[in-house]
Structures are given as C-alpha cells and as structure tokens.
Amino acid sequence: MAVDTTNQIDKMQQLAVIMSAKNFDASALIQTEFFPDCLQNLNTQQCKSVCEALAEPNYSSFVNKKGPLGGYTPLHWMCIKNEYDLIEMLLVKCKADINSCANLGESPLFICIKNCNLYTIELLIQHGADLYHRDIYNRSLIHWCAYTGKVILMYYFEKYHSINNLNDVDQFQQSALHIACASGFSDLIMYLIDRGDIDFFLKDFNGNNCLHMAAKCGLSRICWILTKQNKGQCAKLIGDMNNQSQTPFDIIRNEKGSQYKKIRDWLRLEAKTNKYLLYNENNYDKKSDTLYSGSSSSLLKIKKGTFWLNWNDDFKMRLDWYTRLFVVLILFVIPMLINRYLIYPGELSLIKGIVGFTTYIGLFYVMVGQRHRCTHISAYQNPFYVGLIVNLFISNYSSYYLIILDYNQFFTLLEMTKVGLALYHNLFFYWVLTSDPGKCKESHKKPDGTSYELRDLLKLNAKDSKGGKDSIDWLTDPPSFGGTDKPIQLPQLFFCEPCLKVQAVPTKHCKLCECCVSKFDHHCLFIGKCVGLKNHRLFMLFLLSALISCTVFIYTVYTYFYSFNEGLIASNKDKKDEDKIDFIYVLFTSTDHVWLVVLLLINAFIIIMVFFLFMFQIKFISLGYTSQIRPPVFFVQTNRRMQTLFGSVIHRLENIFTFLFESCDSNLELYFKQQREYNLSITSEKPIALSYDPYPRDNFDKKSNTQLLLPKENPNKQFEIDLD
Ligand SMILES: [Zn+2]
Ligand SMILES: [Zn+2]
C-alpha cells in the first residue's frame, strides 16, 4: 500500500510539472494515465496544443481514449467546455469518433444538448452525429432536450432534422412531457401541448401521468390547461391512479403553499361536478354514503349530496371574472343609488355619509389587493382595472345627470359642450379597447421580403461579441436596450420561444396577451391590452381626452358646490342667521354630496396619475423611442442635432410630428434610423462634451458614461448583415 501511495504521489507531481504553464508539454500529458480527464483543468490555449499533438500520427491512438472519470473522450471534454474550434479540429484533423459513448452512453451530441449550445450541436450534426442514438437508460435526444427545458432546442430538432417522435419513452417509461412536467418547465409543456399529437395518458414506471407530475410541481395553471386538452377528454387524468392507487389529488394532499391549495380545491370541485370518478361497486361505501375516486384508499372522495350548489369550474371561472369586472360598480354606484332612492330618501344624511365613506375604504382595500391575473386556477388576465375605468365613467355620468345637472339649463352651450366631450371620450375609450396594438404573427422580414429563420439568427448572432458560440440563453432573451457603448447589431434579432418566431427589437413578447407586439411600449391594465406600434397614438389621444374629461368634471362639481353654498348663504340671510356656511355642513346636507366629494378626489387622483404618465410617454416619443426601449447611453452626446437646446427642441418636435401624423411604418423606421445614426456616430467621430444634460441618465451605468470607448478600426463592417 505504502509503495502504491508514493507511486501515486510521484505521478501527481509529474503531472503537475507537465501541466504547469511554464513548460506545458502536450505530448507528455497525452501519455499519462490522467488523459483525457485532465483536459478539464486546461485553458483554451493548452487544450489547443493537446489537440494539435493528437493530430500527429504517433498519438492518433489516444484520440478516442476514454478517461476513468465517466468514460469521456477528448471530444466529450471539448463539448463540455464549449470549444467550438477544437471540436472541429478533433473531428477534421484527428478523425475522432463522433459517436463514441461515455459510461452512461452519452454521445458528444448529448453533451452539447445539455450545454444548450446550438452552434456545437450543428457542427456535430454536420459531421455525421447519430440523431437516433440512445444512452444506457434508453433516453433519446428528445429526452436530453426536455431535461434542459429549452423550447428552442426542441424546435431546432423538429424543424431542421425532422425529429418528432415526442411520445418516445425511456427505460422509466417517461416521455418528454413527463420530464417537462416533473421539472416544472412551463414553456416547454406549452410547446409540447401545442404540437397536437402528444399522448397525455402515458404512464411512467410508477404509473404517474403528466397531471400527477405537474400537480407535484405546483404548476396550477398548467394542470388546468392539461385537463382541457383533447376536447376535454383529458379531464379523465384527474381520476387516473398511479401504482400506489393515488390520484393527482392524493399526491399533493399534504403539500403546503397557496398554489397546491388552489390545485386541491379545483381538483375536488372537478371531481364533484364532472364525475370523473370510476363508478363501480368498490368505489362506493354504503355505510358512509361516500364515493371514492378509483379505490377506497384515495382521499379524493365526496359524500353524495353534500354539494348544495352545482357550480362547475367553468361557471366559477366566469363568476370570478365578472366579479372583478363589476366589483367597483357593486361597491361604488349601487350603495349610492340604494342610499338615494331606497332607504329614507333625503334623510339620515350623516349616517349615510359615514356608511358611504366606509364603502370607499373597502373599495380602496380591494384595489390594493389586485394582481395582473385572476386568482382562479386558469390565471386569466384580471379585468379589474378595466372595470375600474368603466365604473368611474358610469359614476361620473350618473352623478352628473342625477345630481348636478339643472335640466332647465340643459340646452345651453356649456352643457352641450360637456355632453359632446363625454361622447368623444367614450368613443376614444371604445376605439382603444378594440384596437390592435400591432401583433406580430409572422417572423421578422429580411430586406428581400422572406422571413428570418432560426438558422439565420444563429448565423447572425455568432459574430456578436456578447453571446458568441458559448450559449443560446441570449438568443431567446432580447438584447438589453441601455447601457451599451458598442455598435448595435441591426436588426437586433431574438427567438421568441412562446411564439416560435424570430423577432427584432423593438418587438417584444407580452405574457398576458400571449403574443409579440411590434414597437411594444407597455401592457396597459386599464385597457386590458398592450400599447404598441399601431395603437400608441390612439392611446395618447385617449390619455389626453381622459385628462380633459376629468378636469371638466372637477370644474362642474366645483361650480355645483359653489352655487349650492351661495344658495344656502342667501336663504340664511333671509333668516338673519350666520353669514358663513361650514363646509362640513354642506358636505353632509345630502348623501349626494359625500358621493360627489369622493368622486372629486378620485378624479383628481386620476388627473395626477394620467398627467405623469402622459409626460413620461411624451419624453420617450420625442426621442423616437418607447418607454420600454430607451435610448442607448450615448444617444444624446452622439446625436449632433441634440447638441444645442434649440436643436434638441426641433429634433423632439420632429419626432412628435412623425408620431402624430405619419404612418406606422415610418414610426418603426424612426427607431431603426435612430439606432443606425447612433452606430455611425459612435464609430466615426468623437462626441462633443455637452454643456447641459438634456436627458437624465440615472437609469444607466454611470461608470460607462465617464468615458467613451472608441473602437480602433471601423467595426461597422463587422456588423453588416452577411447571410451567405
Ligand atoms: Zn412572442
Ligand atoms: Zn399585453
């Protein structure tokens, strides 16, 4: 033993000498027993000299040598390290075996899939990698893709290599859908569902179906979507049992967390109302009058007749949605009408006023608790804010026509103007509600009119210094918009995984609308849709009309109170009472007044909010960008027209003019024009230092602002589009 240990230590010391940076000896390293596993610790330059040595005839026998650490060959190690050029060298010069397997049967292709590197994947396939290889667990390429959770990989193999055996199972009877559900990859699950030919009822070696696994992961929305597949046939998954006689409900019965509670409540309801239970003698316990799903060991059981209202889940979903839409109406307008017409009309003003105020506090409480999506398991978009706006209009108009308006004065110019304004405002609201923000259903178009494909994106982005050939993460994330001092590659392409399309900034995907929107600005909760290229102008006009309408309403309420007070003073003078009237007295003279004051406050609040939103929007529109895609760091310094205050104002007015009066295409072109100008100016000339700061840059990296890095040569060439 002692001899062995010293021997081992000697070898290690020997290896340390060989691997030291000073006298690195590739050929000596190849002959040690630690080859090829020692490649793991070498840098790119050292790896390169090893590969060069392997190309020599003397060492060609070592090219396919498997190391003791998992049985990886040099090719495997280069795939693990993402060394594109060295993989190519091993394949071309050294004639490495492209399909050699490691101990678990991983081929180099599987390693590249695990690394999510589409560049090395494509390289291996070009050199004849076996697409139908399986590892020792009988897992195919589809399974390895599923483990990464990347839609882009699955899409690549399906589109370019016709791999579409998505129901393929491994040794554990697991399909890609099982793996995606067990790991919680929502995007991948949605991709698989959309393929259309997935077998949802496949069971793995434990008898679990995809719903068991999705429930275990707490993917409430995915669970809901899964059961809606195959025209509702997949609802049978709910009663499906695994080898331990457990339904999906039983699997999560002890899990903590709101998402599990949501799934449990929903499963219980579905089982009760839709009878997915397997009715037979064994499932019915006569003593307790209870039905079981599948077997008596399952906890998903219902007592016959305990469900008093036969509301199914679909009905509950609608109820949730409509409640949110009309909750403001219920809390705001209806109490006022009841107060006014039903309970002692014209009396008990003080009590009614206090009750009224309490309701508004309740309304505020409800408002604060709202989220982007409904709490129902379907997670639909929450219509609360749309309801808020609609109900505010209803409140304003009804208070105007019921309380404020003196019908003797109705046909005066002032009142008719107000009616006209309200009509216009409603029309704008209707238009903006039904508008198309500029949905992108097609991929971005090349100059010759054809669409970009994933492969074009790979070719273009391979040159980019940010991503290069190391990873595909940034292929699916749109490039960052600010904080760059390098030329911007135009068009800035990215792959939208939910849409499976190649898009170009400033297009962005909206998760709530589930589509890509051209020149995306933001998703507006108050109109329930995105604001983008095609409805941005309409949205701004709507904001303007909202500002005017709210101001007119406040003015109207003010004049009403003023004349009411005047009237009180006049009538009191007759009685020779006090001269001044207390505001509180005016307020609680009538319940109507409480209502008006609250409306006054809400309208004032809306004016402030809308005003700031409006100015914020104008700021970016005048710069030719959107609030989502902000100008690059040096935009102002490098744009010659922005160098003087006068030039800056003219430039901004020009952009606003384009925004208001020119077509959508010119507005989109404006963005690209700005980016091209920006690219040109930072590469061709030195910017002049500014004497004032017209554009606040707090959001951006301050360090990179201090100094402009000018590339030595003209790097513009590097960024020209070159597809061939
Ligand atoms: Zn999209
Ligand atoms: Zn949206």
Side-chain angles (χ1 to χ4, degrees):
M1 281 298 284
V3 179
D4 272 353
T5 319
T6 45
N7 196 8
Q8 200 69 17
I9 290 170
D10 282 349
K11 278 182 184 172
M12 294 295 276
Q13 281 171 346
Q14 208 182 331
L15 186 69
V17 173
I18 295 171
M19 282 174 63
S20 66
K22 248 185 193 174
N23 41 4
F24 179 75
D25 185 352
S27 47
L29 187 68
I30 289 170
Q31 293 172 64
T32 64
E33 61 179 286
F34 303 102
F35 183 79
D37 291 340
C38 55
L39 285 170
Q40 188 182 7
N41 302 319
L42 300 184
N43 61 31
T44 306
Q45 195 52 43
Q46 291 168 329
C47 285
K48 196 180 173 194
S49 52
V50 170
C51 291
E52 277 163 355
L54 284 172
E56 290 167 22
N58 300 350
Y59 303 110
S60 60
S61 57
F62 292 96
V63 170
N64 294 320
K65 188 190 170 192
K66 291 180 184 180
L69 205 77
Y72 296 126
T73 65
L75 185 60
H76 282 98
W77 281 115
M78 289 308 108
C79 289
I80 290 170
K81 290 169 79 94
N82 279 323
E83 298 284 2
Y84 184 92
D85 296 331
L86 298 183
I87 294 171
E88 197 168 22
M89 188 193 269
L90 281 173
L91 290 172
V92 177
K93 285 191 182 166
C94 312
K95 304 276 184 294
D97 178 9
I98 195 162
N99 291 318
S100 65
C101 296
N103 290 352
L104 296 178
E106 314 101 302
S107 70
L109 181 64
F110 285 2
I111 302 280
C112 294
I113 290 173
K114 195 181 172 189
N115 275 349
C116 300
N117 190 333
L118 271 176
Y119 294 101
T120 51
I121 288 172
E122 191 142 79
L123 178 69
L124 289 177
I125 293 173
Q126 277 166 11
H127 286 88
D130 181 10
L131 292 170
Y132 299 95
H133 177 75
R134 283 169 179 273
D135 67 10
I136 61 164
Y137 301 112
N138 203 27
R139 289 181 297 209
S140 69
L141 171 155
I142 294 283
H143 294 99
W144 280 78
C145 287
Y147 280 115
T148 66
K150 299 278 181 201
V151 172
I152 189 172
L153 283 181
M154 283 275 194
Y155 175 80
Y156 169 82
F157 282 111
E158 194 189 345
K159 180 160 174 68
Y160 296 113
H161 302 289
S162 309
I163 305 284
N164 45 20
N165 50 337
L166 296 176
N167 292 322
D168 206 18
V169 291
D170 62 10
Q171 187 186 320
F172 310 105
Q173 304 298 314
Q174 291 194 327
S175 68
L177 184 63
H178 283 128
I179 294 167
C181 287
S183 315
F185 296 136
S186 305
D187 284 349
L188 187 59
I189 297 169
M190 289 310 295
Y191 171 82
L192 291 170
I193 289 175
D194 289 343
R195 293 305 90 198
D197 52 355
I198 285 285
D199 184 356
F200 295 98
F201 292 96
L202 274 180
K203 289 183 167 199
D204 74 353
F205 71 119
N206 274 324
N208 291 320
N209 63 32
C210 52
L211 190 63
H212 281 101
M213 293 174 163
K216 188 75 184 169
C217 262
L219 305 172
S220 51
R221 184 160 181 262
I222 294 287
C223 286
W224 184 79
I225 291 171
L226 278 174
T227 54
K228 301 287 168 194
Q229 299 308 310
N230 289 3
K231 293 173 188 166
Q233 286 296 305
C234 285
K236 286 175 185 161
L237 290 170
I238 293 171
D240 215 2
M241 285 185 299
N242 64 11
N243 297 350
Q244 285 83 46
S245 304
Q246 290 174 317
T247 62
F249 180 89
D250 301 321
I251 285 210
I252 55 163
R253 64 175 180 266
N254 292 326
E255 299 285 349
K256 289 190 173 65
S258 59
Q259 74 272 38
Y260 290 108
K261 188 179 178 300
K262 202 183 270 185
I263 300 174
R264 278 197 296 268
D265 290 347
W266 165 73
L267 283 174
R268 206 180 279 127
L269 187 70
E270 284 285 299
K272 277 176 187 171
T273 52
N274 291 321
K275 309 284 183 289
Y276 301 121
L277 315 174
L278 311 167
Y279 288 103
N280 60 45
E281 291 289 304
N282 300 332
N283 299 336
Y284 182 55
D285 180 7
K286 278 178 187 166
K287 277 181 198 163
S288 62
D289 193 23
T290 304
L291 270 170
Y292 295 96
S293 124
S295 80
S296 53
S297 64
S298 168
L299 288 191
L300 182 61
K301 57 190 175 187
I302 49 166
K303 276 201 169 183
K304 260 185 164 182
T306 50
F307 197 56
W308 54 281
L309 270 177
N310 199 24
W311 286 356
N312 62 20
D313 187 57
D314 199 40
F315 179 78
K316 264 187 104 176
M317 186 179 80
R318 280 160 212 272
L319 188 71
D320 187 51
W321 201 84
Y322 283 109
T323 312
R324 281 162 199 279
L325 188 61
F326 292 115
V327 67
V328 187
L329 190 76
I330 295 162
L331 282 179
F332 204 92
V333 182
I334 292 176
M336 176 265 160
L337 292 176
I338 292 174
N339 264 349
R340 189 180 164 87
Y341 294 110
L342 294 182
I343 309 169
Y344 302 108
E347 293 176 41
L348 298 174
S349 295
L350 186 63
I351 297 169
K352 283 179 182 178
I354 292 166
V355 171
F357 265 121
T358 324
T359 346
Y360 305 134
I361 293 168
L363 174 71
F364 187 73
Y365 178 77
V366 170
M367 202 171 83
V368 170
Q370 296 299 316
R371 296 285 174 270
H372 281 56
R373 293 177 183 274
C374 289
T375 45
H376 181 261
I377 192 162
S378 59
Y380 273 132
Q381 191 186 328
N382 188 351
F384 175 83
Y385 295 96
V386 180
L388 192 73
I389 293 288
V390 171
N391 291 311
L392 182 76
F393 293 167
I394 295 176
S395 307
N396 280 358
Y397 298 142
S398 50
S399 68
Y400 175 73
Y401 287 111
L402 292 176
I403 304 167
I404 298 172
L405 182 62
D406 177 1
Y407 281 87
N408 295 327
Q409 307 273 310
F410 187 61
F411 289 104
T412 59
L413 184 65
L414 182 68
E415 298 305 321
M416 291 316 283
T417 315
K418 283 179 191 169
V419 172
L421 265 176
L423 267 177
Y424 263 109
H425 179 58
N426 287 351
L427 212 57
F428 270 121
F429 185 58
Y430 174 76
W431 282 338
V432 88
L433 271 185
T434 52
S435 63
D436 167 29
K439 292 182 179 177
C440 297
K441 286 166 187 160
E442 303 280 309
S443 280
H444 191 71
K445 293 271 187 292
K446 291 179 202 171
D448 65 5
T450 54
S451 294
Y452 277 104
E453 280 189 18
L454 179 55
R455 272 205 168 133
D456 302 326
L457 176 66
L458 287 179
K459 275 182 195 167
L460 284 171
N461 285 4
K463 295 171 190 166
D464 194 282
S465 52
K466 268 187 293 175
K469 289 171 178 174
D470 288 345
S471 158
I472 55 164
D473 276 349
W474 67 284
L475 288 182
T476 48
D477 291 333
S480 58
F481 306 120
T484 171
D485 50 12
K486 293 201 175 77
I488 296 154
Q489 180 179 318
L490 286 174
Q492 282 175 290
L493 296 173
F494 64 95
F495 183 76
C496 178
E497 287 195 307
C499 300
L500 304 175
K501 296 281 187 300
V502 175
Q503 298 294 1
V505 177
T507 296
K508 192 174 181 285
H509 186 83
C510 175
K511 282 186 177 173
L512 279 169
C513 301
E514 293 182 335
C515 66
C516 278
V517 175
S518 183
K519 207 168 185 185
F520 176 86
D521 191 88
H522 68 290
H523 181 94
C524 180
L525 290 172
F526 292 96
I527 60 168
K529 59 168 55 190
C530 283
V531 176
L533 180 68
K534 288 187 182 167
N535 66 351
H536 201 173
R537 180 168 32 192
L538 198 59
F539 180 73
M540 292 299 284
L541 291 175
F542 168 66
L543 287 188
L544 198 64
S545 84
L547 271 180
I548 295 170
S549 303
C550 289
T551 315
V552 168
F553 181 78
I554 287 183
Y555 169 75
T556 310
V557 174
Y558 169 76
T559 49
Y560 169 78
F561 273 133
Y562 185 78
S563 57
F564 187 85
N565 202 10
E566 291 281 284
L568 275 180
I569 290 171
S571 62
N572 283 343
K573 264 183 180 170
D574 291 345
K575 292 172 190 171
K576 292 179 180 174
D577 213 331
E578 290 173 33
D579 276 350
K580 282 182 181 174
I581 302 297
D582 198 356
F583 175 72
I584 299 294
Y585 175 73
V586 173
L587 182 62
F588 288 114
T589 312
S590 149
T591 330
D592 296 343
H593 291 183
V594 178
W595 203 46
L596 285 181
V597 167
V598 171
L599 273 178
L600 201 72
L601 292 176
I602 292 180
N603 275 281
F605 179 70
I606 292 212
I607 287 180
I608 295 167
M609 297 296 286
V610 169
F611 177 76
F612 280 108
L613 177 62
F614 190 78
M615 293 317 285
F616 183 74
Q617 292 277 327
I618 286 284
K619 178 172 124 184
F620 290 107
I621 288 167
S622 70
L623 285 168
Y625 288 83
T626 67
S627 55
Q628 188 71 32
I629 301 132
R630 300 183 183 189
V633 183
F634 300 108
F635 176 78
V636 179
Q637 287 99 320
T638 51
N639 193 324
R640 265 187 301 161
R641 282 177 297 175
M642 297 286 277
Q643 297 299 320
T644 61
L645 189 59
F646 179 72
S648 166
V649 169
I650 294 293
H651 176 71
R652 283 169 183 254
L653 285 178
E654 264 176 25
N655 286 343
I656 292 176
F657 185 85
T658 309
F659 175 80
L660 282 178
F661 301 110
E662 290 185 26
S663 67
C664 291
D665 287 341
S666 356
N667 267 298
L668 192 60
E669 183 48 40
L670 181 65
Y671 167 81
F672 288 114
K673 196 182 114 204
Q674 304 259 39
Q675 296 292 65
R676 276 197 298 271
E677 275 181 14
Y678 166 76
N679 275 356
L680 267 179
S681 55
I682 67 163
T683 51
S684 60
E685 64 189 78
K686 259 193 172 172
I688 310 153
L690 277 181
S691 53
Y692 76 107
D693 187 5
Y695 177 67
R697 286 155 294 151
D698 296 344
N699 297 341
F700 300 125
D701 185 9
K702 279 180 180 152
K703 273 184 195 167
S704 63
N705 252 337
T706 54
Q707 182 193 358
L708 183 57
L709 301 169
L710 282 173
K712 282 169 192 166
E713 289 163 52
N714 180 14
N716 246 15
K717 272 189 178 170
Q718 196 186 328
F719 291 91
E720 279 168 15
I721 302 167
D722 171 27
L723 279 174
D724 301 309

